Amino acid sequence: MVKYIIERILLMLLTLLIITGICFVLVRMLPPAELAPGDIHTEVIEARREAQGYNKPYLVQFGIFLKNVLTRWDFGISDKLYIGQEVSAIFADKLPVTIIVNLYSILFSIPIGIGLGILAAVRKNSLTDHTISTLTMVGISVPSFVYAFLIQYFLSYKLGLLPFLMKSGTDYFSPEMFVSMLPAILSLSLGVIANFTRTTRAELSEVLTSDFMLLARAKGLTRTQAAIRHALKNSMVVVLPAILGNFVAILSGSLIIERIFAIPGVGNLYINSINGRDLPMFMMLTVFYTAVGLIASIVVDISYGFIDPRIRIGSRK
Amino acid sequence: MDDYGHIPKEKLRFAERSENRMQSETKRASRGYFADALIRFRKNKSSVAAAVIITLLIIYAVLAPMISPYTITDKDSVYINFPPYTEATSAIGFMDGGVSRESQNETQLAYLHAIGKETGMDPVIRIIDEDVSVTNFRGEETRSVTYKIKVNKYYEVGVVMRVMTPAEFRDILEYQNETGVQVIYPYVSREKVGANVSSSNIWYCVSDSKGTPIYDENGELIPAYSSDKSAEGMEYNSIRIAGDDGSYIYSQKKGGAVECRVCYYNYYRYLNGRTPMYILGTNSLGQDLFSAIGIGARFSLLFALAVSLINLTIGAIYGAIQGYYGGTVDLVLDRIADILSGMPFIVVATLFSLHLAQRVGTVVSFLFAFVLTGWISMAALTRKQFYRYKGREFVLAARTLGASDKRLMFAHIFPNSLGTLVTGCALVIPSVIISETTLTYLGIINLTEFVGTSLGTLMSQGQTSMTTSPHAMLFPALYFSLLLISFNLFGNGLRDAFNPQSRGVGD
């Protein structure tokens, strides 16, 4: 198992390095932001650019970039949006909000999603199941910004229950802040709930038809008892990795939801860096998004290996 | 028991003994894989319904821009974010351009009625609610009434000021004479109005700057039209409004041009030759939503179809090579696919649009971005099917007969994975539509120049004016959601039909 994990992690790092390299060259090929002559930051930024090896071959530039990142966690200096500031410091500023909003949404989604999935699987082919399945279908198909619209229009505007946008400030754990995050949390959650429900229902209903369930019923357990004690554990083989993968993926946040609800998070920063052509910022976020995606998939793979030994053995081809 | 013994012998005959009678009844034409899948698909009611809805939505996308009198470049400067309206249906209270206005006071109500009195088109559709509040101030009771009114937004525009060239002015007069439609209304004298009010709709005497009207002894408004012939811009020789004894002037000098008050609804008729007909209303650019949704959807559908076909082709070939040869080839190709699939789509789309958009055009670079990583899932599906089938007896038999690798791959093994791929294709379409819409919604990709608009652009425009004109967001979102839901249902139905063993998993 240890060997399997190490193998996967090394492979992941190699992939990350290659992708970063490709993206780095593509980003550096773009003309860097023009600097205002006479601005106090111009000289600093020009000196930094010189040190980062602009005007040298791309591979040399990439080498310098890697060295800076690995030794000093230095991703360069923002030359458009936050002129003259460290990219990594700004990024570290924005990350907590994204994590908090998405963490709330996933904590909210897990019990509801799995609960509905169990309900639908246990009462398969009943009215409850059909209703839940239909809603799940809708939940999965419709993207979050349509929910955002519905929530803003009905809950915030018509009923006045929730605020339109997220409150500014850094008191992330105050009750007012939580309320102002609710619209975003709700719009993010609906899709996640639907996903969990679908996975749980599909897995559980398959396990429920297997032979050992018949045995459990035969020894006198009720349907619910058998489902919760025996079947649920087995269906978690698929559900749990999905949850773990989701946990990692929350880091990247949602571009659209952050935009609509004015959440000052990573997603918003990314859009701004594209629209503002802030290339050092864009580069750092590219590395970040790539890493999050790769880590999420590796976590899913490894957790499969832990939960289900058959998969681990299968990996040794 | 009856006694059958007396039946005469000639009425009896032997039962038919020929054996092929039984056989001929059970024999049927053998049914192919696709025919079988089609029968299974038809049994799934929700998928059939989804297929019908998809067809309707496609018909809408094709026909709506043709039916609509407006093209995507028609942008009205006044009818912005206006609700659905057509003249024919407004008479029966449907699509009547109505919005409800809350807490309107007497003055505002009088203002609305005055527009109706002048132009003959009363904006007040009906008064929904009346709220009387009585306040006691120094022993004096004052009653104030606030109304909730349903207002026709198109009529509410009323009269606007327009500066036009003498040629246009003459043209309008000609139009008036031909059709009898009053476009230009008499000029209003500021002095006669009596207070400094900015609205061009106030044609009556008022007592203060809020626009409180002054009534004569009969309770009628007192017109404040100008009769100052020295200020008249152009001679007016056309139909005059009721109550005009010929002294009113209809325009004023404004540099080399004339300024006049035009009833916008009638001015619109003059300009376009028809009354406004916005079946789904207009958006924040003054475009007709009915045709704009169709145009956006046309692009989305065609684009998604193109992407999934290209991905299907690349993925099938790649996966076939991987699965058929296996071993080192598989490993190397798998690494390459791994690296590509590790690139976040949003980053790929951004980099492609930054690098290629100017050289090969937005749409082509957008297409490249989708193709770069999109084929990987198709390749994985094909690869799996190849691993499953390549060891089977029928492949061995073909190989023994001397079939080439190419023939084995594409004539013998590939057809077996077609069902899976078709299903994959149907499920790729909604995901492409979502990604495309998300990127245009965020403005990272801008298709306006090429297509005119897109569903994402329409929705982000609608989002900004969501509280005042929810229809601008609702209609595109509704179309979009219906499209995605039915495509997913359709894809699930296809999957169940083609792979009966995986039935019920994951729906």
Side-chain angles (χ1 to χ4, degrees):
Chain A
M1 189 67 197
V2 177
K3 198 181 148 219
Y4 171 64
I5 295 174
I6 293 174
E7 219 178 81
R8 290 300 316 248
I9 290 177
L10 287 178
L11 208 60
M12 185 206 89
L13 287 177
L14 188 70
T15 315
L16 179 62
L17 187 73
I18 294 172
I19 294 175
T20 312
I22 297 171
C23 292
F24 180 84
V25 173
L26 286 174
V27 169
R28 280 290 161 93
M29 275 161 75
L30 295 166
E34 304 226 344
L35 301 169
D39 192 272
I40 36 165
H41 297 292
T42 303
E43 277 178 36
V44 181
I45 293 173
E46 270 173 357
R48 284 291 288 267
R49 279 185 183 169
E50 191 59 41
Q52 281 169 347
Y54 279 73
N55 308 326
K56 288 193 182 127
Y58 290 124
L59 273 181
V60 179
Q61 289 188 32
F62 187 52
I64 297 172
F65 175 78
L66 277 185
K67 202 183 90 200
N68 285 344
V69 169
L70 293 177
T71 53
R72 289 182 284 138
W73 196 246
D74 175 13
F75 281 89
I77 232 173
S78 167
D79 51 14
K80 224 25 189 306
L81 285 178
Y82 301 86
I83 201 150
Q85 293 184 47
E86 290 284 338
V87 169
S88 52
I90 294 161
F91 171 74
D93 248 21
K94 305 276 179 189
L95 192 56
V97 193
T98 299
I99 294 182
I100 289 167
V101 171
N102 286 283
L103 197 63
Y104 279 138
S105 114
I106 204 165
L107 290 180
F108 176 71
S109 312
I110 290 172
I112 299 180
I114 294 183
L116 287 177
I118 294 174
L119 194 66
V122 171
R123 304 208 178 145
K124 198 166 183 191
N125 292 329
S126 69
L127 184 67
T128 326
D129 176 33
H130 290 312
T131 317
I132 292 177
S133 298
T134 313
L135 289 179
T136 307
M137 196 65 224
V138 174
I140 285 172
S141 310
V142 179
S144 54
F145 57 92
V146 175
Y147 300 133
F149 159 66
L150 294 175
I151 287 170
Q152 272 193 334
Y153 187 70
F154 289 106
L155 295 184
S156 305
Y157 175 65
K158 282 278 169 186
L159 300 173
L161 295 175
L162 296 169
F164 267 91
L165 302 175
M166 195 177 131
K167 193 168 93 62
S168 57
T170 49
D171 49 333
Y172 298 133
F173 296 100
S174 67
E176 302 91 64
M177 193 53 126
F178 180 72
V179 171
S180 76
M181 282 175 181
L182 264 180
I185 295 171
L186 281 178
S187 352
L188 279 173
S189 297
L190 291 172
V192 185
I193 290 176
N195 240 322
F196 283 155
T197 307
R198 177 163 80 164
T199 323
T200 313
R201 176 184 174 273
E203 279 311 304
L204 195 58
S205 51
E206 201 166 298
V207 176
L208 281 175
T209 54
S210 52
D211 291 342
F212 70 87
M213 286 305 296
L214 204 61
L215 177 70
R217 292 296 307 278
K219 76 180 186 192
L221 296 181
T222 65
R223 210 173 141 73
T224 320
Q225 277 175 329
I228 303 244
R229 289 195 203 157
H230 295 271
L232 195 58
K233 222 191 243 172
N234 277 290
S235 64
M236 281 302 132
V237 171
V238 175
V239 179
L240 212 61
I243 293 176
L244 286 173
N246 258 315
F247 251 107
V248 180
I250 61 172
L251 287 171
S252 51
S254 160
L255 299 176
I256 283 196
I257 292 298
E258 293 198 0
R259 177 73 166 268
I260 292 175
F261 294 105
I263 298 169
V266 181
N268 232 334
L269 188 65
Y270 183 80
I271 299 168
N272 291 339
S273 78
I274 295 170
N275 292 338
R277 293 285 165 94
D278 194 324
L279 297 180
M281 188 77 83
F282 176 69
M283 190 60 223
M284 168 157 196
L285 290 172
T286 300
V287 177
F288 172 72
Y289 277 127
T290 313
V292 168
L294 291 174
I295 294 171
S297 76
I298 200 178
V299 164
V300 172
D301 280 2
I302 292 176
S303 59
Y304 265 123
F306 267 112
I307 296 166
D308 189 352
R310 279 173 301 174
I311 294 166
R312 202 171 5 168
I313 293 161
S315 72
R316 293 184 212 127
K317 277 172 189 162
Chain B
M1 280 297 278
D2 291 319
D3 183 17
Y4 292 110
H6 63 274
I7 299 173
K9 208 169 188 182
E10 62 269 17
K11 286 205 171 173
L12 297 174
R13 63 189 171 85
F14 288 107
E16 204 171 333
R17 286 246 178 97
S18 80
E19 285 170 25
N20 54 6
R21 190 184 134 231
M22 299 289 282
Q23 274 180 357
S24 68
E25 263 186 23
T26 49
K27 206 154 108 193
R28 265 192 212 145
S30 65
R31 209 191 274 151
Y33 177 54
F34 278 89
D36 206 29
L38 191 67
I39 287 171
R40 274 197 296 268
F41 182 79
R42 279 209 201 115
K43 278 188 189 150
N44 191 340
K45 273 183 221 129
S46 63
S47 304
V48 175
V52 173
I53 294 174
I54 292 174
T55 317
L56 292 179
L57 291 175
I58 291 175
I59 291 175
Y60 174 93
V62 174
L63 290 187
M66 291 186 199
I67 296 172
S68 166
Y70 304 97
T71 63
I72 200 70
T73 46
D74 286 336
K75 292 172 186 168
D76 200 274
S77 57
V78 172
Y79 294 154
I80 282 172
N81 277 333
F82 270 41
Y85 173 83
T86 66
E87 199 186 24
T89 55
S90 68
I92 54 168
F94 175 63
M95 296 200 289
D96 52 3
V99 287
S100 69
R101 296 225 185 281
E102 308 225 4
S103 50
Q104 303 283 298
N105 59 22
E106 295 274 8
T107 312
Q108 281 154 322
L109 187 62
Y111 168 83
L112 291 173
H113 280 310
I115 294 174
K117 189 148 193 307
E118 185 178 31
T119 63
M121 293 175 282
D122 199 333
V124 178
I125 297 172
R126 68 196 150 84
I127 294 170
I128 300 169
D129 204 12
E130 255 185 68
D131 188 25
V132 184
S133 63
V134 181
T135 44
N136 244 322
F137 182 67
R138 289 186 186 163
E140 238 179 291
E141 263 191 10
T142 38
R143 279 176 85 250
S144 63
V145 190
T146 55
Y147 301 94
K148 188 178 173 190
I149 314 170
K150 195 174 179 202
V151 173
N152 182 333
K153 241 184 147 178
Y154 290 82
Y155 291 172
E156 194 195 15
V157 173
V159 171
V160 295
M161 300 305 268
R162 272 278 183 281
V163 177
M164 53 182 77
T165 60
E168 192 187 359
F169 189 79
R170 269 192 293 273
D171 204 41
I172 294 179
L173 294 191
E174 218 164 274
Y175 173 80
Q176 286 195 158
N177 290 339
E178 267 171 36
T179 58
V181 174
Q182 184 94 39
V183 178
I184 299 175
Y185 280 82
Y187 209 77
V188 169
S189 155
R190 287 278 153 239
E191 293 84 53
K192 280 194 188 169
V193 168
N196 191 16
V197 282
S198 57
S199 170
S200 53
N201 270 316
I202 294 201
W203 53 273
Y204 43 88
C205 299
V206 296
S207 58
D208 56 19
S209 61
K210 281 184 216 150
T212 315
I214 301 170
Y215 296 99
D216 62 10
E217 58 271 19
N218 300 326
E220 297 283 333
L221 296 162
I222 306 159
Y225 294 124
S226 167
S227 308
D228 182 6
K229 286 282 180 198
S230 64
E232 190 172 19
M234 290 260 307
E235 195 195 343
Y236 185 82
N237 49 11
S238 179
I239 46 174
R240 289 173 175 272
I241 62 161
D244 180 6
D245 51 4
S247 66
Y248 293 164
I249 62 165
Y250 283 72
S251 59
Q252 201 182 28
K253 287 190 198 94
K254 192 93 177 179
V258 291
E259 187 185 46
C260 49
R261 293 173 73 233
V262 296
C263 169
Y264 192 76
Y265 192 87
N266 289 340
Y267 184 59
Y268 188 96
R269 288 170 70 179
Y270 156 72
L271 284 179
N272 298 284
R274 74 178 99 78
T275 53
M277 195 184 93
Y278 297 108
I279 295 171
L280 298 182
T282 63
N283 67 1
S284 62
L285 297 178
Q287 291 166 328
D288 174 34
L289 265 182
F290 181 70
S291 70
I293 292 175
I295 282 173
R298 267 183 193 177
F299 176 78
S300 290
L301 287 165
L302 281 179
F303 187 77
L305 197 66
V307 168
S308 61
L309 285 181
I310 295 173
N311 284 346
L312 179 71
T313 316
I314 299 177
I317 296 172
Y318 197 93
I321 294 171
Q322 260 189 310
Y324 183 76
Y325 291 106
T328 323
V329 177
D330 185 18
L331 203 69
V332 172
L333 292 184
D334 213 28
R335 278 310 86 165
I336 297 175
D338 253 10
I339 289 169
L340 284 177
S341 70
M343 293 176 91
F345 173 71
I346 181 101
V347 172
V348 174
T350 316
L351 283 174
F352 268 80
S353 84
L354 288 177
H355 272 282
L356 285 176
Q358 252 133 48
R359 257 172 266 168
V360 295
T362 322
V363 177
V364 179
S365 75
F366 203 26
L367 192 72
F368 275 144
F370 272 99
V371 170
L372 184 74
T373 55
W375 55 268
I376 295 170
S377 59
M378 288 289 180
L381 280 177
T382 320
R383 174 175 173 265
K384 211 165 93 189
Q385 295 294 318
F386 265 71
Y387 265 111
R388 200 158 138 200
Y389 287 106
K390 73 175 178 185
R392 294 279 176 93
E393 288 80 1
F394 68 92
V395 180
L396 194 67
R399 197 194 301 274
T400 320
L401 288 172
S404 66
D405 276 0
K406 213 169 112 190
R407 191 173 160 73
L408 276 176
M409 275 156 79
F410 291 106
H412 292 279
I413 310 179
F414 185 70
N416 288 297
S417 56
L418 209 57
T420 327
L421 287 176
V422 169
T423 313
C425 221
L427 288 170
V428 161
I429 291 179
S431 79
V432 171
I433 295 179
I434 286 197
S435 304
E436 180 246 300
T437 310
T438 307
L439 288 173
T440 48
Y441 184 100
L442 289 170
I444 293 175
I445 308 281
N446 194 350
L447 295 169
T448 317
E449 262 171 53
F450 180 77
V451 196
T453 187
S454 72
L455 286 176
T457 315
L458 286 176
M459 281 189 272
S460 77
Q461 286 163 353
Q463 176 79 25
T464 51
S465 60
M466 174 194 67
T467 53
T468 50
S469 51
H471 73 275
M473 174 76 188
L474 180 71
F475 291 128
L478 197 66
Y479 184 96
F480 181 59
S481 306
L482 264 181
L483 191 68
L484 292 178
I485 293 170
S486 39
F487 256 114
N488 277 331
L489 272 178
F490 178 71
N492 281 355
L494 273 189
R495 187 195 52 210
D496 291 348
F498 277 111
N499 318 304
Q501 66 269 35
S502 73
R503 185 168 224 162
V505 177
D507 60 357

